[in-house]
Structures are given as structure tokens and as C-alpha cells.
Amino acid sequence: MSENVEKIKCLIIGSGPAGYTAAIYAARADMKPIMYTGMQMGGQLTTTTEVDNFPGYAEGTDGPAMMEDLKKQAERFGTEVRFGLATKVELNPEIGGKHKVIVDETKEIEAATVIISTGATAKYLGLESEMRLIGGGVSACATCDGFFYKGQDVVVVGAGDTAAEEATYLANICRKVTILVRKDYMKASKAMQHRVNKTKNIEVLYNTEVDEVLGTNVVEGVRAVNNLTKEKFNIDVTGVFIAIGHTPNSELFKGVLEMDETGYLITKGKTTKTNMPGVFAAGDIQDKEYRQAVTAAGTGCMAALDAERYLGALE
């Protein structure tokens, strides 16, 4: 394998708004980036049917179309986009050292800089009906999709700060928000619980879980179950927001790059620099606060600029 090592200036691992934006900037800086998309080309946004909050799309667009636009733009400047999965990394702690990345367990890349944009995966309940209706009324992002449910009734599933934040955000848009909490208490901070309790159009149902999401092509309701009494009942809603957290796609870098207790990569200050020289992180892999396409794109730009400056300092 070492006899056929491909030596490049810039390797981008993962696609999506962060990866594609990094590719656009890196290509324009003549870094000749090569991107490996991962198994979900375009990232999480490819599961979103409508995107109305990304600048430049006056009439809105859909996630897959937007990712295709970004891909074409990156390719127009010379990015080589490849479908493949990074399966092993050997990162060099020396300034100017080369980083080795194995793709699909066979292809070896030696890169002067690496931009990681592998994102985070939203956690779902795992129900067949829920998975079938993702993009048809089931969402994991209220700030992304809440606008489409203006004046309607929705359900939020979760008990932590994220669920409380999503519910209070939706309460400003929707007619009624019902929070389903699996236990007899919320895990959210007291401040967030006070906000929920003070919001008149939010109802919290404790010891309640989703038994099934109702609807054929779009959400028409939820069949809920009280996990103490086993009583089942229907809630008429058009939207179901799953707010039980995200899992950063950082398994490949455990023990190599600094990350927090939940697996998000840690970057230095206001940069995208990781603890390894020449390795940068952009998008949801290092951002658990905002998780928006536009903020991911912004950090993708930053990562490419940081990588360009890193290479410039070596000359």
C-alpha cells in the first residue's frame, strides 16, 4: 500500500456545507483539495426536503439540490470529489509533518493539511414510522424546519435543554407545542424549565413516549403511550421534532484529537485548529451550539483559510 501513496496538499474528509465551502476556498487558493464525501454525500442536509434559511436562495431550495449546487461550485474551481470513507488516520504531531489517511481500508493518502467536516448525526427514536417520515414532518431541527409549521400543532420529543429550547422556539411559531418526556421529570436546566412552564401554548406530558408516528406520506399525528399505565392515545399534529441529541462523527479520531466528553472536536479559540498542526475541524463535528448550514459553511471557509495560512508559514 505504501508504494502507491498519493501525496496532496489538502484532504477534506466529509462533505456537507462545511466540507464543500472549505473545498471552494481551498481550490481557489490553489491547494488542489481532494474530498472524500463519506457514505452520506452532502451530509445531514440531504435528508431535509426544504431549506428556506440559507442566504442566496430567495425562493428557497431543498437540501439535496443545495448540496449538488455546492458540489458543482467546488468542482468548478478544481476540487476532486470522491465517494469514499476514511477508515484510519495517522496524524503527525510535528509542524510540517505529513498526515496519513487510509480510505476504504486500501487507499493511502499523505496530506500536508487535513480538514475534518464529518458532521454530527441526529439521534432518532428508531421507529419505522418515524424514519419513513423524516422530511415529511419528522425533523431533528426546529430552527431549520419550524417555519413550515406556522400556526400548526407539533410535538417535541426530549427532556433536556435542547428539547426545551426547541419547544420554546416553536411556541413562537406554532399554535400548540406538546413535549413528550419519557421520565417523570425534565433533565433541562431550571432556567429552561421555567421558560417552558411560563409559555402558555406548551404542554408537557411526563412518562410519555412515542409509540408510532401516524401518516402515510406526511405526519398526521402521533400515537403516544403512557409508560406507567400503558394507555395509548393519539395526538393530532403535523410536525414531530426529535430533540434527544446528536452524535458527532468523530470515532475515527478518538485518542488522536482532543474532543469533549460527548465527542465533539475541540478547536483553538476562534480558529478551526485542532491540537494537531495542519489538522482543522469545521461544521457540526466541532459545533454543538448552532448546527446550522450557514454556520457550518462559515467554519468551512475558516478551515480553508487556516490551512492556507499554515502552509504559507511553512514556506
Side-chain angles (χ1 to χ4, degrees), residues 94-151:
E94 300 295 326
I95 294 175
K98 305 302 181 185
H99 305 291
K100 292 183 180 180
V101 178
I102 308 299
V103 178
D104 295 331
E105 299 182 353
T106 56
K107 173 73 174 175
E108 185 173 336
I109 306 279
E110 188 177 278
T113 61
V114 177
I115 296 174
I116 301 165
S117 56
T118 49
T121 302
K123 294 179 183 177
Y124 286 94
L125 303 172
L127 300 171
E128 184 279 328
S129 55
E130 168 204 37
M131 306 311 289
R132 177 168 48 81
L133 289 168
I134 290 175
V138 173
S139 170
C141 181
T143 50
C144 306
D145 301 326
F147 176 80
F148 302 113
Y149 302 91
K150 189 174 183 179

Side-chain angles (χ1 to χ4, degrees), residues 273-295:
K273 299 175 184 176
T274 68
N275 60 301
M276 285 285 182
V279 180
F280 310 89
D284 287 9
I285 189 66
Q286 54 86 54
D287 172 26
K288 59 182 177 183
E289 297 296 330
Y290 301 103
R291 296 196 301 268
Q292 299 298 300
V294 68
T295 51

Side-chain angles (χ1 to χ4, degrees), residues 45-79:
L45 220 61
T46 56
T47 65
T48 303
T49 52
E50 296 179 81
V51 178
D52 254 1
N53 57 2
F54 196 91
Y57 291 93
E59 302 302 321
T61 183
D62 63 65
M66 181 180 152
M67 289 303 95
E68 187 60 27
D69 285 345
L70 286 176
K71 177 175 176 285
K72 288 177 180 176
Q73 190 174 0
E75 290 177 326
R76 179 162 70 92
F77 294 115
T79 301

